[in-house]
Amino acid sequence: MKRIVLFALSMLMISPAMMAKKKAPAPEPAAEIHWITSIDELQAKMQQNPKKVYVDVYTNWCGWCKKMEATTFQNPDVIKYINLNFYAVRLDAERQDVIHYLGKEYRFEPERRMNGFAYELLKNVPGGNISYPTSVIMLENFQSPTPIPGYMTVGQLETILTYFGDNTFKHQQWPEHQKTYKPSWDHGAAPDMTPPAGH
C-alpha cells in the first residue's frame, strides 16, 4: 500500500513539471511564395499531389509585373494562402526554351513575341487582348485555365484566390462572389497606383 501511495505522490509531482513544458513554437510562415519555374517540376508535383495552380505570366520589361512582385506578392497573407492552396508558377511569356506540357512541345513564337505555352494559357483572356501581368488559375490536374489580366492589389487578388482556393466557384457565380465577399487579409498601406515608367 505504501508503494502505491508513493507512486501516486511521485506522479503528482511529475505531472506539473510535464505540463510546464513549453509547446514547440509554431513554424514561421514562409517569407516568400514558393515559385516553380520548371513546367516539368510542376507536372511531377501534380502527379504526386493534385492541387490548383496559380500562374503569374510576366515579362522582364513589364513595369506593372515588377510592381505586383514588389507589393502584392510580398504580402504575408498572399504568401501564406498561395503556398497552402496552389502550386505557384512564374512564367516569363517571352522565354526562349522549349516547354513540354501534357505531351505537347511549345516553342518561342516570334510572330507573337511569346512562348507558345504562354499563348496557350492566355489565348482566352477576356477581351482578347493579351497583356502583362496576367494571372492564370487552373484547377487540379490543369483543368479550366482562367486568365485574369492586369495588376492586382492584395484585396483584388484575395477575392480571386479565395473564389477558386475555397471552391466557392462550385456553388456561387463570380459576380455574386464579387458583391458579397468581404476581404479579411491585411492589405497594408494603400498601394501607389502611379503607373511604372514606360507605361
Side-chain angles (χ1 to χ4, degrees), residues 136-195:
V136 180
I137 308 281
M138 290 189 272
L139 303 181
E140 293 83 350
N141 296 310
F142 309 112
Q143 300 299 306
S144 307
T146 304
I148 305 145
Y151 169 87
M152 284 186 259
T153 64
V154 171
Q156 291 167 326
L157 189 58
E158 175 185 357
T159 305
I160 290 167
L161 289 176
T162 56
Y163 183 67
F164 290 99
D166 295 346
N167 291 320
T168 305
F169 70 94
K170 291 182 177 181
H171 58 83
Q172 186 178 52
Q173 294 294 312
W174 172 246
E176 184 64 23
H177 179 72
Q178 278 184 297
K179 280 188 241 172
T180 60
Y181 184 76
K182 303 282 187 259
S184 62
W185 297 353
D186 178 11
H187 299 164
D192 174 12
M193 296 307 289
T194 306

Side-chain angles (χ1 to χ4, degrees), residues 1-15:
M1 182 69 161
K2 224 179 198 181
R3 284 185 185 171
I4 294 173
V5 171
L6 285 174
F7 177 75
L9 285 173
S10 67
M11 291 309 290
L12 285 172
M13 293 178 80
I14 292 173
S15 293

Side-chain angles (χ1 to χ4, degrees), residues 20-131:
K21 271 189 178 179
K22 289 185 177 177
K23 290 183 180 177
E28 289 290 318
E32 61 185 32
I33 295 171
H34 302 300
W35 293 111
I36 297 170
T37 56
S38 163
I39 303 304
D40 290 336
E41 179 187 351
L42 172 66
Q43 292 177 100
K45 285 180 178 277
M46 187 67 79
Q47 278 187 332
Q48 293 169 358
N49 180 28
K51 202 172 177 180
K52 295 175 181 74
V53 181
Y54 173 84
V55 185
D56 171 39
V57 185
Y58 72 98
T59 64
N60 289 324
W61 51 262
C62 167
W64 285 111
C65 301
K66 292 174 185 171
K67 189 168 203 150
M68 195 162 163
E69 175 63 27
T71 57
T72 308
F73 292 145
Q74 299 306 312
N75 178 283
D77 290 319
V78 170
I79 293 167
K80 181 180 176 183
Y81 194 85
I82 287 178
N83 287 343
L84 186 63
N85 295 286
F86 295 88
Y87 289 124
V89 178
R90 293 215 69 218
L91 178 66
D92 180 352
E94 296 177 337
R95 62 190 278 181
Q96 304 283 318
D97 60 327
V98 176
I99 295 174
H100 299 276
Y101 174 72
L102 299 180
K104 292 185 181 177
E105 192 173 90
Y106 295 93
R107 299 179 179 280
F108 181 76
E109 299 177 6
E111 67 281 0
R112 289 193 173 111
R113 295 191 330 227
M114 65 189 330
N115 189 290
F117 180 60
Y119 178 73
E120 190 67 27
L121 292 177
L122 303 181
K123 68 184 179 184
N124 294 321
V125 72
N129 294 324
I130 293 174
S131 63

